Amino acid sequence: MSRSGTTVTATATAHGLLVGQLVLISGAAQLAYNRIFRVETVADADTFTFTVYGSPTSPATGTILCQPLSRVSKLTTTAGAFNPTPEDVGE
């Protein structure tokens, strides 16, 4: 993943994500990347973007995982992070 300003471009082979979908990013050494984000754009089958808070190092390092979320029943977030409502996640 690489960051330009607050926009992060991520590559995940055949990710299957849609604009507006929630995705859990984990395993990055830079903690600002490890949270739930809303997909902002989908460039192609392997590339998508999301907005990160702060200025974490770019490119991100670590063993980074991307998990699409379809339903979320409860979230604990930190200040400034996206805090979806039940309507955002299809409940």
Side-chain angles (χ1 to χ4, degrees):
M1 297 186 306
S2 61
R3 180 185 57 79
S4 177
T6 60
T7 300
V8 177
T9 301
T11 302
T13 304
H15 57 67
L17 296 169
L18 302 172
V19 171
Q21 186 171 1
L22 300 179
V23 61
L24 172 63
I25 305 294
S26 62
Q30 299 75 24
L31 298 180
Y33 292 118
N34 296 325
R35 57 186 55 184
I36 295 170
F37 297 97
R38 181 185 298 276
V39 175
E40 298 292 334
T41 66
V42 174
D44 57 39
D46 301 328
T47 308
F48 65 97
T49 67
F50 59 88
T51 300
V52 69
Y53 302 95
S55 299
T57 300
S58 179
T61 59
T63 303
I64 302 169
L65 303 174
C66 167
Q67 178 182 359
L69 301 177
S70 58
R71 284 184 67 108
V72 177
S73 59
K74 182 177 180 182
L75 289 178
T76 302
T77 62
T78 58
F82 176 68
N83 192 7
T85 65
E87 293 79 21
D88 291 326
V89 294
E91 289 190 4

